[in-house]
């Protein structure tokens, strides 16, 4: 409306000029020409504003006669939260800021402040960040599709390699940082963070500084996508992947201008409030990884350019120096400790800062003008996937993003009822990333007068679409035979437009296995699928009489079938028909001679039904703290389906953790039975070992059925370095249960009571346990486990 009135006024001015020109044409010809120019400019301005869908922002309130004040925030990694403390003092002293410039963490804090968030809200929201999750690309485990998170139950390592033309390809090895961009979008809002804009239109005009990776030049971002500019400014080499903007790659700006005083001066700031966090070099004992080497190089380069920037300060400017000592720039776990240090530093120059204070009325007017310039909430009208993908079908990804949580998923999710539209979008995009197809996932907001559209762009893995994983598992109890296995997984993805996959799993060692499966979804939306498969394995059953091993039975099976099922984020249900063959090779020694225990040879056909289900919302399979797991499987072989044998069996498991701070108590239940049938010697349930009737040897008890309940307590007392894994734990377990129709009649009858104590660690090679178990009948043993779970 204001644009239309302005255009009308210019038209009116033009007509009045024409009227006058008819009387005194020569005298007023210049005014006629001026009126015509103003009219044309008005129309063009209105048309371009409407075409861009961008409403003009009101001017930021400036106190008449007051100098323009710029706030300059330096980089400093985790030390940068001290900036929030300085902002709190500026707010308390009623100091309006007319311009903000920042580098690295200073660009993050400065950008959030410039976008309109108050220091108090920043303190609250930064304090709630789970930094360890932010610095890991993997989404929350509950949001990963089942086909990917089922690997967590195997001994496979997390590292995924590519396979192309017979060559192994290695990932880039840096954090993509997409979750950091999601976090910043949550802070500044969808419109402010994800739409193209002039940074002078923000509630406070803003600049972010980065370094061009191609030529080392300083780049000052004054327009574009706010979140991208902030992220580029803090892309520490070796810690974060570079950010690509308009064909250029950008990294942390601290290497060229960590305290961009000259940027504020160029913007017309007459007085600069500069907050320099300092970046002390790491001690030699702190340089322990590629990331710390990169940080040290950045720190040394940073200090050199900071010295030059400090020389640009004048007597009018105010320098704030938080005394952060040796607080590490990578210590994000304790970032909130720096906030009071920032407050204290601002208090030290409070007298100087008070010279810039204004009255309550003037400060309120400044705050109102700032709020009026803030972007409002955006209602997303549509979500589209960019058609720039080479292998991945954009239709499948679009359906993944748009698929709403099921009622069961909504009930299981503690935050589902509180999620905003933007948070729901981010969760969906994390699930898309969790599919394993992309290096990173990005999106932008495209606006026109009638539609606000989110366009998602996925950058496919350069080392795909064929992948390899390796792993190993070891379990030992110092008495029975040690169990060592090596594993490999091969996966070929996107064999058709619906996302078909061919997967091969190999395990060699104590037990051998080869399994191949072709997974074919029926629709672009996650759900129904068919999966023909072949399976060959050789399992070893040890038969005990007391604490002595009578012998072992090598059971070899060859099976093939086809499953139908449904899968998604919650888990999977599948049922299938199979046919196969089984052979046994008992290996018994002289110990069995006087015990009348024999195990016959078998060579027979099997056929029937097989199935499984999993409802998996655990945050971790090794040391869970939240979520739950409910799973089961069944097996039926019968003469009616061409088999030579007849029996059935099933197993059920349940796991639910409860956590307070560093303490976790996990309730576990397991039940297995063979209703209306007796299990043959080649397919008995095997139980015993750490947290599976602790105190007994591994798989010492073989039977037709069992029930087990356990309570496992663990305390996370420290953390491994990030390059080595996660938490380190002390804990123990209490277990009780019954075993029916045991092969060995000498083990204790009735209810079995057991317990254990353990030291555990969540390593990059899988969970590691050193444990001791004790049973109620006096049995006891030590255990070592790596890469395998109880």
């Amino acid at each position: 409306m204001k644009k239309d009135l302005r255009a009308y006024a210019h038209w009116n001015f033009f007509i009045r000029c024409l009227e006058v020109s008819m009387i005194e044409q020569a005298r007023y010809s210049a005014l006629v020409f001026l009126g015509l120019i103003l009219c044309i400019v008005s129309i063009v301005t209105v048309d371009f504003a409407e075409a861009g869908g961008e409403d003009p922002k009101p001017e930021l309130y400036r106190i008449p006669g007051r100098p323009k004040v710029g706030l300059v925030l330096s980089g400093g990694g985790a030390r940068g939260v001290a900036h929030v403390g300085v902002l709190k003092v500026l707010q308390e002293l009623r100091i309006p800021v007319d311009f903000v410039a920042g580098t690295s963490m200073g660009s993050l804090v400065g950008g959030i402040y410039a976008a309109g968030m108050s220091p108090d809200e920043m303190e609250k929201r930064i304090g709630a960040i789970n930094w360890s999750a932010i610095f890991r690309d993997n989404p929350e485990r509950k949001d990963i599709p089942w086909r990917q998170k089922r690997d967590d139950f195997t001994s496979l390592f997390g590292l995924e390699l590519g396979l192309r033309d017979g060559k192994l390809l290695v990932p880039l090895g840096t954090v993509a940082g997409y979750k950091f961009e999601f976090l910043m979008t949550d802070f500044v809002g969808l419109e402010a963070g994800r739409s193209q804009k002039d940074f002078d239109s923000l509630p406070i005009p803003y600049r972010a500084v980065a370094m061009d990776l191609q030529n080392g030049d300083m780049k000052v971002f004054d327009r574009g996508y706010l979140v991208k500019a902030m992220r580029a400014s803090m892309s520490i080499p070796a810690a974060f992947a570079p950010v690509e903007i308009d064909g250029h790659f950008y990294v942390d700006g601290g290497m060229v201008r960590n305290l961009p005083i000259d940027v504020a001066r160029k913007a017309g700031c007459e007085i600069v409030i500069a907050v320099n966090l300092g970046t002390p070099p790491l001690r030699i004992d702190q340089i322990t990884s590629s990331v710390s080497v990169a940080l040290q190089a950045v720190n040394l380069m940073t200090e050199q350019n900071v010295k030059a920037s400090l020389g640009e300060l004048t007597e009018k400017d105010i320098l704030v120096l938080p005394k952060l000592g040796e607080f590490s720039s990578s210590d994000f776990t304790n970032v909130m400790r720096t906030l009071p240090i920032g407050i204290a530093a601002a208090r030290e120059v409070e007298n100087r800062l008070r010279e810039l204070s204004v009255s309550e009325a003037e400060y309120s007017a400044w705050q109102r003008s700032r709020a009026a310039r803030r972007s409002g909430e955006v209602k997303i009208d549509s979500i589209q996937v960019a058609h720039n993908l080479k292998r991945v079908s954009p239709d499948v990804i679009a359906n993944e993003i748009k698929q709403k949580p099921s009622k069961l998923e909504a009930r299981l999710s503690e935050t589902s009822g509180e999620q905003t539209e933007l948070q729901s979008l981010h969760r969906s995009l994390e699930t898309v990333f969790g599919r394993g197809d992309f290096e990173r996932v990005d999106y932008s907001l495209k606006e026109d007068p009638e539609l606000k559209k989110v366009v998602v762009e996925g950058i496919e893995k350069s080392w795909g679409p064929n992948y390899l994983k390796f792993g190993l598992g070891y379990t030992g109890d110092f008495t029975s035979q040690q169990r060592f296995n090596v594993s490999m997984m091969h996966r070929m993805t996107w064999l058709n437009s619906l996302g078909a996959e061919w997967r091969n799993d190999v395990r060699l060692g104590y037990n051998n296995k080869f399994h191949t499966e072709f997974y074919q979804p029926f629709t672009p939306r996650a759900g129904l699928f068919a999966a023909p498969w072949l399976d060959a394995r050789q399992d070893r059953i040890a038969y005990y009489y007391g604490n002595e091993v009578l012998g072992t039975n090598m059971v070899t099976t060859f099976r093939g079938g086809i499953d139908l099922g449904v899968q998604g984020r919650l888990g999977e249900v599948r049922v299938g028909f199979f046919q196969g063959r089984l052979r046994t090779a008992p290996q018994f020694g002289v110990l069995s001679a006087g015990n009348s225990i024999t195990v016959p040879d078998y060579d027979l056909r099997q056929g029937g039904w097989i199935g499984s289900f999993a409802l998996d919302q655990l945050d971790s399979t090794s040391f869970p703290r939240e979520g739950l797991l409910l799973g089961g499987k069944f097996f039926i072989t019968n003469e009616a389906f061409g088999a030579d044998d007849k029996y059935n069996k099933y197993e059920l498991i349940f796991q639910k953790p409860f956590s307070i701070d560093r303490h976790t108590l996990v309730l576990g239940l397991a039940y297995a039975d063979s209703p209306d049938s007796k299990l043959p010697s080649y397919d008995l349930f095997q139980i015993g070992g750490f947290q599976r009737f602790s105190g007994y040897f591994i798989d010492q008890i073989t039977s037709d059925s069992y029930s087990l309940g356990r309570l496992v307590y663990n305390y996370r007392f420290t953390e491994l370095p990030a390059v080595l894994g996660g938490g380190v734990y002390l804990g123990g377990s209490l277990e009780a249960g019954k075993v029916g129709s045991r092969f060995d009649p000498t083990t204790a009858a009735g209810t079995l009571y057991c317990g254990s104590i353990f030291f555990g660690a969540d390593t990059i090679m899988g969970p590691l346990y050193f444990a001791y178990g004790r049973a109620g009948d006096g049995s006891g043993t030590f255990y070592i486990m790596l890469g395998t779970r109880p």
Side-chain angles (χ1 to χ4, degrees):
M1 178 62 73
K2 291 181 180 179
K3 298 173 192 171
D4 294 340
L5 290 174
R6 186 169 73 249
Y8 172 77
H10 291 155
W11 269 115
N12 188 51
F13 176 62
F14 177 49
I15 293 170
R16 292 291 303 275
C17 289
L18 286 177
E19 291 175 350
V20 174
S21 69
M22 293 175 66
I23 302 171
E24 298 181 299
Q25 199 170 39
R27 182 177 176 182
Y28 291 100
S29 59
L31 289 178
V32 174
F33 180 73
L34 177 61
L36 179 61
I37 294 299
L38 286 173
C39 176
I40 293 171
V41 170
S42 300
I43 295 172
V44 171
T45 303
V46 172
D47 288 343
F48 270 103
E50 290 178 352
E54 201 173 300
D55 294 327
K57 300 290 185 182
E59 292 295 323
L60 180 64
Y61 178 71
R62 292 281 305 278
I63 292 87
R66 183 176 183 269
K68 183 175 182 179
V69 176
L71 177 65
V72 176
L73 305 178
S74 79
R79 300 158 68 92
V81 176
H83 289 315
V84 181
V86 176
L87 293 176
K88 289 173 70 70
V89 175
L90 296 184
Q91 177 177 268
E92 177 190 328
L93 298 178
R94 300 192 304 274
I95 299 176
V97 173
D98 303 302
F99 179 85
V100 178
T103 298
S104 196
M105 195 64 173
S107 75
L108 174 61
V109 174
I112 295 170
Y113 182 61
M117 184 175 286
S118 70
D120 292 338
E121 181 67 12
M122 290 171 65
E123 176 185 9
K124 177 182 176 181
R125 296 189 63 176
I126 291 175
I129 295 174
N130 181 349
W131 290 101
S132 61
I134 291 297
F135 287 110
R136 288 196 305 266
D137 280 340
N138 287 339
E140 289 188 46
R141 188 174 178 278
K142 65 181 180 180
D143 293 332
I144 298 175
W146 167 251
R147 289 191 60 77
Q148 278 67 49
K149 65 184 175 186
R150 67 177 178 170
D151 286 350
D152 297 339
F153 295 95
T154 71
S155 57
L156 294 171
F157 303 148
L159 177 64
E160 180 183 71
L161 304 176
L163 181 64
R164 187 184 303 154
D165 299 327
K167 297 180 181 179
L168 283 179
L169 304 177
V170 181
L172 295 180
T174 53
V175 176
Y178 74 98
K179 286 202 284 188
F180 218 108
E181 294 184 24
F182 288 178
L183 175 68
M184 289 184 280
T185 307
D186 284 334
F187 274 48
V188 304
L190 180 59
E191 183 179 351
R194 295 285 181 166
S195 60
Q196 286 268 15
K197 61 172 62 270
D198 188 328
F199 294 165
D200 283 343
S201 69
L202 292 170
I204 301 176
Y206 166 78
R207 302 289 186 270
V209 175
M211 186 182 84
D212 191 323
L213 192 57
Q214 181 176 346
N215 52 32
D217 290 345
M218 178 176 73
K219 171 66 176 180
V220 179
F221 289 100
D222 58 3
R223 64 175 297 106
Y225 296 105
L226 176 61
V227 163
K228 281 290 183 188
M230 295 160 67
R231 166 77 171 77
S233 182
M234 61 174 300
S235 294
I236 302 171
F240 286 102
V243 175
E244 182 181 2
I245 300 176
D246 297 332
H248 290 256
F249 286 90
Y250 296 100
V251 294
D252 194 288
M255 292 181 286
V256 286
R257 196 78 83 253
N258 200 48
L259 190 64
I261 293 170
D262 57 334
V263 174
R265 203 76 78 191
K266 186 176 179 180
C269 295
E270 300 162 81
I271 296 178
V272 170
I273 302 173
V275 185
N276 182 29
L277 303 177
T279 50
L282 298 175
R283 300 189 309 271
I284 192 66
D285 61 301
Q286 295 175 316
I287 304 175
T288 58
S289 66
S290 61
V291 174
S292 60
V293 170
L295 285 174
Q296 180 76 327
V298 171
N299 290 347
L300 295 174
M301 295 176 67
T302 294
E303 284 304 290
Q304 295 301 314
N305 67 68
V306 166
K307 291 178 182 178
S309 294
L310 291 174
E312 300 171 4
L313 293 173
T314 68
E315 294 181 355
K316 294 181 180 180
D317 302 323
I318 302 171
L319 178 62
V320 183
L321 296 170
K323 297 176 181 178
L324 294 163
E326 292 190 356
F327 187 90
S328 173
S329 59
S330 61
D331 188 7
F332 283 88
T333 304
N334 300 300
V335 290
M336 298 310 293
R337 295 181 185 176
T338 68
L339 190 139
I341 299 175
I343 293 175
R347 295 285 185 213
E348 290 186 3
V349 291
E350 183 173 340
N351 291 336
R352 293 284 318 276
L353 291 173
R354 284 189 180 278
E355 297 173 6
L356 302 176
S357 297
V358 298
S359 67
E360 289 187 14
E362 290 172 325
Y363 192 71
S364 295
W366 176 78
Q367 286 186 313
R368 286 194 299 272
S369 70
R370 184 171 172 235
R373 289 163 58 86
R374 187 172 184 177
S375 299
E377 291 189 9
V378 173
K379 176 68 176 177
I380 300 172
D381 295 310
S382 71
I383 300 174
Q384 297 181 7
V385 177
H387 284 250
N388 65 328
L389 303 174
K390 299 176 182 177
R391 301 178 294 268
V392 180
S393 167
D395 294 333
V396 172
I397 302 304
N399 276 285
E400 188 87 62
I401 295 170
K402 296 173 185 177
Q403 186 161 320
K404 301 297 182 183
S406 64
K407 292 182 179 180
L408 178 59
E409 188 175 355
R411 287 192 175 190
L412 292 175
S413 177
E414 299 176 358
T415 59
S416 59
E418 305 170 5
Q419 284 190 322
T420 65
E421 187 178 29
L422 182 58
Q423 289 170 332
S424 296
L425 171 64
H426 287 169
R427 185 183 179 193
S428 295
L429 293 178
E430 287 189 27
T431 298
V432 167
F433 186 87
R435 293 177 58 97
D437 299 314
F438 300 105
E439 288 186 31
R440 65 181 187 275
V441 177
D442 200 4
Y443 72 94
S444 58
L445 179 67
K446 307 297 184 183
E447 300 182 69
D448 58 47
E450 299 179 355
L451 188 69
K452 294 188 183 296
K453 176 175 60 177
V454 166
V455 178
V456 176
E457 182 179 4
I459 309 302
E460 295 171 272
K461 287 180 176 177
S462 58
W463 60 94
N466 300 323
Y467 305 102
L468 287 174
K469 279 187 176 182
F470 298 90
L472 60 86
Y474 172 79
T475 304
D477 56 22
F478 298 97
T479 303
S480 63
Q481 185 172 352
Q482 311 302 295
R483 290 156 169 80
F484 182 82
N485 292 297
V486 294
S487 303
M488 184 189 77
M489 182 273 288
H490 167 243
R491 184 167 63 104
M492 296 180 63
T493 64
W494 291 100
L495 299 176
N496 57 40
S497 62
L498 292 178
E501 293 185 2
W502 180 28
R503 174 172 172 143
N504 300 290
D505 288 274
V506 178
R507 183 180 65 217
L508 300 173
Y510 184 80
N511 291 315
N512 301 313
K513 166 188 169 182
F514 171 74
H515 184 90
T516 183
E517 174 183 287
F518 186 85
Y519 166 78
Q520 178 60 67
F522 287 142
T523 67
R525 186 180 294 269
L528 293 174
F529 68 89
W533 55 270
L534 292 173
D535 184 273
R537 63 179 64 205
Q538 187 179 66
D539 295 313
R540 191 188 309 255
I541 301 178
Y543 300 95
Y544 282 81
Y545 194 86
N547 290 334
E548 300 292 337
V549 178
L550 296 179
T552 59
N553 198 1
M554 303 299 293
V555 181
T556 304
T557 57
F558 301 91
R559 293 171 182 155
I562 182 168
D563 294 347
L564 298 177
V566 60
Q567 67 89 31
R569 285 191 299 206
L570 282 182
E572 179 187 78
V573 177
R574 62 164 65 197
V575 177
F577 180 77
F578 81 94
Q579 289 287 298
R581 193 158 196 91
L582 177 145
R583 294 188 180 94
T584 65
Q587 300 172 1
F588 282 75
V590 295
L591 288 176
S592 63
N595 297 310
S596 67
I597 296 177
T598 59
V599 176
D601 290 326
Y602 291 94
D603 185 351
L604 50 82
R605 289 182 58 189
Q606 290 187 314
W609 299 92
I610 192 168
S612 63
F613 74 92
L615 173 60
D616 180 7
Q617 290 289 279
L618 292 178
D619 62 333
S620 167
T621 57
S622 301
F623 298 94
R625 290 182 50 80
E626 60 182 30
L628 64 85
L629 170 66
L630 177 63
K633 57 184 178 181
F634 73 88
F635 178 89
I636 299 172
T637 179
N638 196 294
E639 297 98 329
F641 307 109
D644 296 327
D645 55 1
K646 178 182 179 181
Y647 67 93
N648 61 77
K649 60 186 294 190
Y650 68 87
E651 290 184 88
L652 300 173
I653 60 169
F654 175 79
Q655 198 172 7
K656 174 61 182 173
F658 305 89
S659 297
I660 300 176
D661 193 26
R662 292 175 173 264
H663 305 270
T664 301
L665 187 66
V666 183
L667 169 65
L669 302 172
Y671 184 79
D673 199 3
S674 54
D676 301 323
S677 69
K678 180 175 178 58
L679 295 184
S681 60
Y682 53 78
D683 202 3
L684 296 169
F685 294 116
Q686 299 180 83
I687 195 167
F690 178 50
Q691 296 185 14
R692 303 172 67 247
F693 293 125
S694 297
Y696 294 103
F697 303 141
I698 299 166
D699 294 337
Q700 180 177 353
I701 305 171
T702 53
S703 68
D704 277 350
S705 64
Y706 72 87
S707 60
L708 171 65
R710 69 187 184 195
L711 286 174
V712 180
Y713 166 78
N714 62 64
Y715 170 69
R716 190 177 78 251
F717 67 91
T718 189
E719 302 283 331
L720 292 171
V723 294
L724 297 179
V728 181
Y729 303 84
L730 291 175
S733 69
L734 294 175
E735 307 146 42
K738 292 185 176 182
V739 180
S741 302
R742 307 175 197 184
F743 181 87
D744 176 13
T746 66
T747 53
T751 303
L752 303 180
Y753 296 97
C754 306
S756 71
I757 56 174
F758 65 86
F759 166 88
D762 193 3
T763 77
I764 58 172
M765 298 180 68
L768 169 67
Y769 293 97
F770 296 96
Y772 175 75
R774 189 80 175 177
D777 64 0
S779 300
T781 190
F782 290 92
Y783 306 98
I784 295 179
M785 300 172 64
L786 175 63
T788 57
R789 293 152 184 81

